[in-house]
Amino acid sequence: MVFCIVIAFRSLITSSTLISTVSNLMAGLSKIKEDENTEFRLLRCYLAQNNIPIVLGQKITHFLQYQYTLRQEARSADMQVPLLELLSQQLQGELQFARYEESLAKLRLVVELLESGDRQVVHTLWRVAVQAVGHCTAACKDLVFLAGNQANAAYLKLNGMLTYSSEDGDMQVNDSGWVSEACLWTPWVYLGDLIAEDVSRLAALDAEAFGDAMSQCYQTQRAASKYAADFIAAMRQRGTWSDAFSLERSTTITQQPKETPSRWDRCCAMLKQAKVHQHDGFDGVEPKKTTRSDD
């Protein structure tokens, strides 16, 4: 009899705890939804009071809805977890590389370096993840980059819809490779426009920070220099120049003697000007000689 009473009492406590937990979770979700409705109600009032055109207001609202969702999903991201600041520098690098490994692995050079298994190489790639990689968001019809501007970063589509527009026409950008990878290996200017057709999220790889990180290790510096030469040789073999070009693992490089460039003339002239003068508001940046090919 006493045993039955104890079991019933424990069951009652367990049920009460479960009900209380579920109630708290539902209250929390309700509070989140209420906060969202309040914020967007204020936004609608702001747009109406300032006579913002309907089309622009819809574009802003759509973008902020996407950003709000991302903010909710990213509440546990590392920049919002103060506890992660206690990690050692090595663990920080390992963590960041784990976050960006899938994106970085879409560079042929990174895959080849990872296959080496060298400890110094791995630590250098961790440094790349910490110093050179980041995320950015583009609203519908935002210009990620414009033709003629100095290229200082490569971009990878994570989600959304992007269009690359050049003299050769328009093409939809997929997530299989980095756009404007060439700026990592040689002085470069964008040869087309990259436009977001919808709210899109991208990974950005800063060219200067990438070069600095890769130059810290002899093995990665040597591999990057060789890869840069192969990349330029492959572009020459292809005969056309585009920010969308990437070097596939199956690509065979045929070494050819240097010759006076033909199709390269226009781009080279712009690149030389970008090194000395300001180009469309961008300061010319001299690339790292240790990792880029000036061919």
Side-chain angles (χ1 to χ4, degrees), residues 27-67:
L29 292 174
S30 177
K31 181 66 166 57
I32 291 174
K33 186 63 178 178
E34 183 180 347
D35 291 343
E36 179 181 357
N37 291 336
T38 300
E39 292 192 34
F40 281 96
R41 189 183 305 113
L42 291 174
L43 174 63
R44 289 192 293 270
C45 291
Y46 174 86
L47 296 175
Q49 291 296 325
N50 289 277
N51 298 318
I52 304 301
I54 295 177
V55 175
L56 178 57
Q58 291 175 342
K59 179 179 178 181
I60 291 172
T61 301
H62 182 49
F63 178 77
L64 290 177
Q65 286 173 337
Y66 180 82
Q67 284 290 78

Coordinates of all heavy atoms in Angstrom, one line a residue, residues 27-67:
A27 N 5.0 29.3 -23.7 CA 5.0 30.8 -23.4 C 6.2 31.5 -24.0 O 6.1 32.6 -24.5 CB 5.1 30.9 -21.8
G28 N 7.4 30.8 -24.1 CA 8.5 31.4 -24.7 C 8.3 31.6 -26.2 O 8.7 32.6 -26.8
L29 N 7.7 30.6 -26.9 CA 7.4 30.7 -28.3 C 6.4 31.8 -28.6 O 6.5 32.5 -29.5 CB 6.9 29.3 -28.8 CG 7.9 28.2 -28.9 CD1 7.2 26.9 -29.3 CD2 9.0 28.5 -29.8
S30 N 5.4 31.9 -27.7 CA 4.4 32.9 -27.8 C 5.1 34.3 -27.7 O 4.7 35.2 -28.4 CB 3.3 32.7 -26.8 OG 2.4 33.8 -26.9
K31 N 6.0 34.4 -26.8 CA 6.7 35.7 -26.6 C 7.5 36.1 -27.8 O 7.6 37.2 -28.2 CB 7.6 35.6 -25.3 CG 8.4 36.9 -25.0 CD 7.5 38.0 -24.5 CE 8.2 39.1 -23.9 NZ 9.2 39.7 -24.7
I32 N 8.2 35.1 -28.4 CA 9.0 35.3 -29.6 C 8.1 35.8 -30.7 O 8.5 36.8 -31.4 CB 9.8 34.0 -30.0 CG1 10.9 33.7 -29.0 CG2 10.4 34.2 -31.4 CD1 11.6 32.4 -29.2
K33 N 7.0 35.2 -30.9 CA 6.1 35.6 -32.0 C 5.5 36.9 -31.7 O 5.4 37.8 -32.6 CB 4.9 34.5 -32.1 CG 4.0 34.8 -33.3 CD 4.7 34.6 -34.6 CE 3.8 34.8 -35.8 NZ 4.5 34.7 -37.1
E34 N 5.2 37.2 -30.5 CA 4.7 38.6 -30.1 C 5.7 39.6 -30.4 O 5.4 40.7 -30.9 CB 4.2 38.6 -28.6 CG 3.6 39.9 -28.2 CD 3.2 39.8 -26.7 OE1 3.2 38.7 -26.1 OE2 2.9 40.9 -26.1
D35 N 7.0 39.4 -30.0 CA 8.0 40.3 -30.3 C 8.2 40.6 -31.8 O 8.4 41.7 -32.2 CB 9.3 39.8 -29.7 CG 9.3 39.8 -28.2 OD1 8.5 40.5 -27.6 OD2 10.2 39.1 -27.6
E36 N 8.1 39.5 -32.6 CA 8.2 39.6 -34.0 C 7.1 40.5 -34.6 O 7.3 41.4 -35.4 CB 8.2 38.3 -34.7 CG 8.3 38.3 -36.2 CD 8.3 36.9 -36.8 OE1 8.2 35.9 -36.1 OE2 8.3 36.9 -38.1
N37 N 5.9 40.3 -34.1 CA 4.7 41.1 -34.6 C 4.9 42.5 -34.2 O 4.6 43.4 -35.0 CB 3.4 40.5 -34.0 CG 3.1 39.1 -34.6 OD1 3.5 38.8 -35.7 ND2 2.3 38.3 -33.9
T38 N 5.4 42.8 -33.0 CA 5.6 44.1 -32.5 C 6.6 44.9 -33.4 O 6.4 46.0 -33.8 CB 6.0 44.1 -31.1 OG1 5.0 43.5 -30.3 CG2 6.2 45.6 -30.6
E39 N 7.7 44.2 -33.7 CA 8.8 44.8 -34.4 C 8.3 45.2 -35.9 O 8.6 46.2 -36.4 CB 10.0 43.9 -34.5 CG 10.7 43.8 -33.1 CD 12.1 43.2 -33.2 OE1 12.8 43.4 -34.3 OE2 12.5 42.4 -32.3
F40 N 7.6 44.2 -36.5 CA 7.2 44.5 -37.9 C 6.0 45.5 -37.9 O 5.8 46.1 -38.9 CB 6.9 43.2 -38.6 CG 8.1 42.4 -39.0 CD1 8.7 41.4 -38.3 CD2 8.7 42.8 -40.2 CE1 9.8 40.8 -38.7 CE2 9.8 42.1 -40.7 CZ 10.4 41.1 -39.9
R41 N 5.2 45.5 -36.8 CA 4.2 46.6 -36.8 C 4.8 48.0 -36.7 O 4.4 48.9 -37.4 CB 3.3 46.4 -35.5 CG 2.1 47.3 -35.5 CD 1.3 47.1 -34.2 NE 0.9 45.7 -34.0 CZ 1.4 44.9 -33.0 NH1 2.2 45.4 -32.2 NH2 1.0 43.7 -32.9
L42 N 5.9 48.1 -35.9 CA 6.6 49.4 -35.9 C 7.3 49.7 -37.3 O 7.3 50.9 -37.7 CB 7.7 49.3 -34.8 CG 7.3 49.3 -33.4 CD1 8.5 49.0 -32.4 CD2 6.6 50.6 -33.0
L43 N 7.8 48.7 -38.0 CA 8.3 48.9 -39.3 C 7.3 49.4 -40.2 O 7.5 50.3 -41.0 CB 8.9 47.6 -39.8 CG 9.4 47.6 -41.2 CD1 10.6 48.6 -41.4 CD2 9.9 46.2 -41.7
R44 N 6.1 48.8 -40.2 CA 5.0 49.2 -41.1 C 4.6 50.7 -40.8 O 4.4 51.5 -41.8 CB 3.8 48.3 -41.0 CG 4.0 46.9 -41.6 CD 2.7 46.2 -41.7 NE 2.2 45.8 -40.4 CZ 2.4 44.7 -39.7 NH1 3.3 43.8 -40.3 NH2 1.9 44.5 -38.6
C45 N 4.6 51.0 -39.6 CA 4.2 52.4 -39.2 C 5.3 53.4 -39.7 O 5.0 54.5 -40.2 CB 4.1 52.5 -37.7 SG 2.6 51.7 -37.0
Y46 N 6.6 53.0 -39.6 CA 7.7 53.8 -40.0 C 7.6 54.0 -41.5 O 7.8 55.2 -42.0 CB 9.0 53.1 -39.6 CG 10.2 53.8 -40.2 CD1 10.8 54.9 -39.5 CD2 10.8 53.4 -41.4 CE1 11.9 55.5 -40.0 CE2 11.9 54.1 -41.9 CZ 12.5 55.1 -41.2 OH 13.6 55.8 -41.7
L47 N 7.4 53.0 -42.3 CA 7.3 53.1 -43.7 C 6.1 54.0 -44.2 O 6.2 54.8 -45.1 CB 7.2 51.7 -44.4 CG 8.4 50.8 -44.2 CD1 8.1 49.4 -44.7 CD2 9.6 51.3 -44.8
A48 N 5.0 53.8 -43.5 CA 3.8 54.6 -43.8 C 4.0 56.1 -43.5 O 3.6 57.0 -44.3 CB 2.6 54.0 -43.1
Q49 N 4.5 56.4 -42.3 CA 4.7 57.8 -41.8 C 5.7 58.5 -42.7 O 5.6 59.7 -42.8 CB 5.1 57.8 -40.4 CG 4.1 57.4 -39.4 CD 2.9 58.3 -39.4 OE1 3.0 59.5 -39.6 NE2 1.7 57.7 -39.2
N50 N 6.7 57.8 -43.3 CA 7.7 58.5 -44.1 C 7.4 58.4 -45.6 O 8.3 58.7 -46.4 CB 9.1 57.8 -43.8 CG 9.6 58.2 -42.4 OD1 10.1 59.3 -42.3 ND2 9.4 57.4 -41.4
N51 N 6.2 57.9 -46.0 CA 5.7 57.9 -47.4 C 6.7 57.1 -48.2 O 7.1 57.5 -49.4 CB 5.6 59.3 -47.9 CG 4.5 60.1 -47.2 OD1 3.4 59.5 -46.9 ND2 4.7 61.3 -46.9
I52 N 7.2 56.0 -47.7 CA 8.1 55.1 -48.5 C 7.3 54.4 -49.6 O 6.2 53.9 -49.4 CB 8.8 54.1 -47.6 CG1 9.5 54.8 -46.4 CG2 9.7 53.2 -48.4 CD1 10.6 55.7 -46.8
P53 N 7.8 54.4 -50.9 CA 7.1 53.8 -52.0 C 6.8 52.3 -51.6 O 7.6 51.6 -50.9 CB 8.1 53.9 -53.1 CG 8.9 55.1 -52.8 CD 9.0 55.1 -51.3
I54 N 5.6 51.8 -52.1 CA 5.2 50.5 -51.8 C 6.2 49.4 -52.2 O 6.5 48.5 -51.4 CB 3.8 50.2 -52.4 CG1 2.7 51.1 -51.8 CG2 3.4 48.7 -52.2 CD1 1.4 51.0 -52.4
V55 N 6.7 49.5 -53.4 CA 7.7 48.5 -53.9 C 8.9 48.5 -53.0 O 9.4 47.4 -52.6 CB 8.1 48.8 -55.4 CG1 9.2 47.9 -55.8 CG2 6.9 48.7 -56.3
L56 N 9.5 49.6 -52.7 CA 10.6 49.7 -51.8 C 10.3 49.1 -50.4 O 11.1 48.4 -49.8 CB 11.2 51.1 -51.7 CG 12.4 51.3 -50.8 CD1 13.5 50.4 -51.2 CD2 12.8 52.8 -50.7
G57 N 9.1 49.5 -49.9 CA 8.7 49.0 -48.6 C 8.6 47.5 -48.6 O 9.0 46.8 -47.6
Q58 N 8.0 46.9 -49.6 CA 7.9 45.4 -49.7 C 9.3 44.8 -49.8 O 9.6 43.8 -49.1 CB 7.1 45.0 -50.9 CG 5.6 45.4 -50.8 CD 4.9 45.1 -52.1 OE1 5.5 44.9 -53.2 NE2 3.6 45.0 -52.0
K59 N 10.2 45.4 -50.5 CA 11.6 44.9 -50.6 C 12.3 44.9 -49.2 O 12.9 43.9 -48.8 CB 12.4 45.7 -51.6 CG 13.8 45.3 -51.8 CD 14.5 46.2 -52.8 CE 16.0 45.8 -52.9 NZ 16.7 46.6 -53.9
I60 N 12.1 46.0 -48.5 CA 12.7 46.2 -47.2 C 12.1 45.1 -46.2 O 12.8 44.5 -45.4 CB 12.6 47.6 -46.6 CG1 13.4 48.6 -47.5 CG2 12.9 47.7 -45.2 CD1 13.2 50.0 -47.2
T61 N 10.8 45.0 -46.2 CA 10.1 44.1 -45.3 C 10.5 42.6 -45.6 O 10.8 41.9 -44.7 CB 8.6 44.2 -45.5 OG1 8.2 45.6 -45.2 CG2 7.9 43.3 -44.5
H62 N 10.6 42.3 -46.9 CA 11.0 40.9 -47.3 C 12.4 40.6 -46.8 O 12.7 39.5 -46.2 CB 10.9 40.7 -48.8 CG 11.3 39.4 -49.2 ND1 10.7 38.2 -48.7 CD2 12.1 39.0 -50.2 CE1 11.2 37.2 -49.3 NE2 12.0 37.6 -50.2
F63 N 13.3 41.6 -47.0 CA 14.7 41.4 -46.5 C 14.8 41.2 -45.0 O 15.5 40.4 -44.5 CB 15.5 42.6 -47.0 CG 17.0 42.5 -46.5 CD1 17.9 41.6 -47.2 CD2 17.5 43.2 -45.5 CE1 19.2 41.5 -46.8 CE2 18.8 43.2 -45.1 CZ 19.6 42.3 -45.7
L64 N 14.0 42.1 -44.3 CA 14.1 42.1 -42.8 C 13.4 40.8 -42.3 O 13.9 40.3 -41.2 CB 13.4 43.3 -42.2 CG 14.2 44.6 -42.5 CD1 13.4 45.8 -41.9 CD2 15.6 44.6 -41.8
Q65 N 12.4 40.3 -42.9 CA 11.8 39.0 -42.5 C 12.8 37.9 -42.6 O 13.0 37.1 -41.7 CB 10.6 38.7 -43.3 CG 9.4 39.6 -43.0 CD 8.2 39.3 -44.0 OE1 8.4 38.9 -45.1 NE2 7.0 39.6 -43.5
Y66 N 13.6 37.9 -43.7 CA 14.7 36.9 -43.8 C 15.7 37.1 -42.8 O 16.2 36.1 -42.2 CB 15.2 37.0 -45.3 CG 16.3 36.0 -45.5 CD1 16.0 34.7 -45.9 CD2 17.7 36.4 -45.4 CE1 17.0 33.8 -46.2 CE2 18.7 35.5 -45.7 CZ 18.4 34.2 -46.1 OH 19.4 33.3 -46.3
Q67 N 16.2 38.3 -42.6 CA 17.2 38.6 -41.6 C 16.7 38.2 -40.2 O 17.5 37.7 -39.4 CB 17.6 40.1 -41.6 CG 18.5 40.4 -42.8 CD 19.9 39.8 -42.7 OE1 20.1 38.7 -43.0 NE2 20.8 40.7 -42.3

